[in-house]
Amino acid sequence: MIVTITGGAGFIGSHLCQRFLSKKTKVICIDNFSTGSKDNITKMLKNPDFSLIKYDITIPFTRKLSAMIMASQIIIHLASPASPKDYYRLPLETALVNSVGSKYLLDLARSGKKRFVLASTSEIYGNPEQNPQKEEYRGHVNPVGPRSCYDESKRFSEMLTMIYYQQFGVDTRICRIFNTYGPGMRRNDGRVVANFISHALQGEDLIIYGDGTQTRSFCYIDDTVEGIYLLAVKPGLSGKIVNIGNPEEIRIKDLANLIIKLTDSFSRYHYIKKVEDDPEKRCPDITRIKTLLAWEPQVNLVDGLKKTINFLRNNS
């Protein structure tokens, strides 16, 4: 089997490439390195089953690239900035990769009768009025806010994916990925786990936006990747949408205290003005994926944070 993974040099993408390679699957990794890193895939470059293509998928595909993708049985679309730090810096690129890029890939999936898996996000729920969030929940999103380049483009990519399923019969699946962390994160990632750990390791104050009572749920990278892998390879799931995340919810100020404790840091934390449209709640209902794939997280937050701290401490 051959699988194409866009955004394969990113944090989640590189782990997913490795997961497929461990199953003796040939992997075509496509990345333009706007946020991904060659450091994530260096070891895989020596594997004859791994191919790296540097390409911006918002540009019409060359015949050669189209032929390579068409040789695969599964297309997994992970390409997109995912950290606020990155999509604030690259708003147009974010909007285009999730719209134009998605359409180019879906066109290939349609013409070649390939399976298409869209990596969406919990951000499509916006600042939710329902907690935990079920897949049926339609969200509460600001379509013109500072996060809209990501939120709304992901919602658009979901809509486009469902059109290709409903109108053209393409075997599509959508996973809404909740906050993921673990070894391989960039220290300057910009998201809360990496920020807190980096500051704590340096003895600096941890910065909390708002009053710290907002909640998040954090899924360890191995668990997230296993959920995506199972969704991609299991037959009979065409048109399905699933949340992939850990339903263990924690307040941001409690996360700060936990990371300070686990790093043996003398850091403290202080509060600054809340970021516009920052969600108050974020927690997945994972009933559907447990039913369809018998999947649920295996790594608890403390154990996962210890592994992440160790990685970031040794890879400064």
Side-chain angles (χ1 to χ4, degrees):
M1 183 171 72
I2 304 174
V3 60
T4 293
I5 301 176
T6 68
F11 170 46
I12 295 177
S14 59
H15 282 269
L16 187 61
C17 286
Q18 188 59 61
R19 182 71 179 90
F20 275 99
L21 289 173
S22 72
K23 291 295 187 179
K24 307 303 180 185
T25 300
K26 293 183 183 295
V27 173
I28 300 169
C29 167
I30 303 175
D31 207 297
N32 70 348
F33 297 100
S34 61
T35 60
S37 171
K38 277 196 174 180
D39 291 341
N40 291 334
I41 57 172
T42 298
K43 293 180 180 178
M44 287 183 273
L45 291 172
K46 300 176 182 178
N47 190 323
D49 288 335
F50 182 80
S51 300
L52 170 64
I53 307 295
K54 184 179 179 181
Y55 200 83
D56 181 345
I57 64 165
T58 66
I59 299 171
F61 296 163
T62 64
R63 285 187 179 182
K64 182 178 179 180
L65 180 56
S66 294
M68 290 185 68
I69 297 173
M70 291 284 279
S72 60
Q73 287 74 49
I74 302 174
I75 301 168
I76 304 178
H77 184 20
L78 271 160
S80 174
S83 164
K85 177 181 177 181
D86 290 328
Y87 57 70
Y88 288 163
R89 178 174 59 90
L90 300 166
L92 183 57
E93 292 86 347
T94 301
L96 291 176
V97 75
N98 288 311
S99 54
V100 175
S102 297
K103 183 181 186 302
Y104 288 155
L105 293 169
L106 282 161
D107 283 337
L108 289 181
R110 177 191 175 191
S111 61
K113 294 182 171 55
K114 310 300 180 183
R115 183 174 296 166
F116 179 84
V117 181
L118 174 67
S120 187
T121 172
S122 63
E123 294 301 311
I124 67 102
Y125 296 121
N127 187 15
E129 298 166 316
Q130 177 189 104
N131 196 55
Q133 292 86 59
K134 296 182 178 182
E135 290 86 353
E136 294 85 359
Y137 179 55
R138 297 178 183 180
H140 180 219
V141 178
N142 180 356
V144 294
R147 305 167 74 100
S148 61
C149 63
Y150 185 61
D151 300 351
E152 288 296 331
S153 68
K154 283 293 189 181
R155 288 166 69 93
F156 179 91
S157 67
E158 287 199 14
M159 175 269 293
L160 198 62
T161 298
M162 291 307 293
I163 287 175
Y164 277 71
Y165 163 67
Q166 294 164 348
Q167 186 169 347
F168 305 123
V170 178
D171 181 352
T172 66
R173 295 105 188 270
I174 297 172
C175 54
R176 293 173 179 160
I177 300 171
F178 283 65
N179 298 65
T180 300
Y181 72 100
M185 295 187 82
R186 292 176 293 154
R187 193 161 185 160
N188 63 345
D189 175 81
R191 282 173 284 195
V192 66
V193 170
N195 280 350
F196 280 2
I197 293 175
S198 296
H199 288 164
L201 289 175
Q202 296 174 65
E204 300 172 349
D205 277 2
L206 280 60
I207 300 170
I208 295 177
Y209 296 91
D211 63 6
T213 59
Q214 66 269 43
T215 68
R216 296 292 184 271
S217 60
F218 298 97
C219 194
Y220 189 66
I221 182 64
D222 291 356
D223 288 329
T224 294
V225 164
E226 187 64 13
I228 301 170
Y229 174 81
L230 292 173
L231 180 67
V233 301
K234 186 173 180 178
L237 296 178
S238 184
K240 297 299 183 184
I241 303 172
V242 298
N243 289 331
I244 297 180
N246 192 324
E248 181 182 349
E249 194 173 7
I250 185 172
R251 297 187 304 178
I252 292 299
K253 63 182 179 182
D254 294 332
L255 176 70
N257 283 320
L258 178 58
I259 287 175
I260 289 170
K261 178 181 178 181
L262 293 176
T263 53
D264 294 318
S265 176
F266 292 104
S267 294
R268 299 187 179 189
Y269 55 81
H270 69 268
Y271 302 99
I272 64 174
K273 184 179 178 181
K274 179 184 174 182
V275 177
E276 185 179 354
D277 292 335
D278 188 40
E280 290 295 327
K281 300 286 184 181
R282 183 68 83 238
C283 182
D285 184 307
I286 61 170
T287 303
R288 182 179 294 177
I289 192 170
K290 286 171 69 174
T291 302
L292 292 175
L293 297 172
W295 176 93
E296 60 184 315
Q298 301 299 307
V299 180
N300 66 48
L301 183 60
V302 170
D303 290 342
L305 285 175
K306 287 179 179 177
K307 294 177 181 180
T308 309
I309 290 165
N310 186 57
F311 171 82
L312 291 175
R313 179 180 278 129
N314 294 319
N315 291 274
S316 59

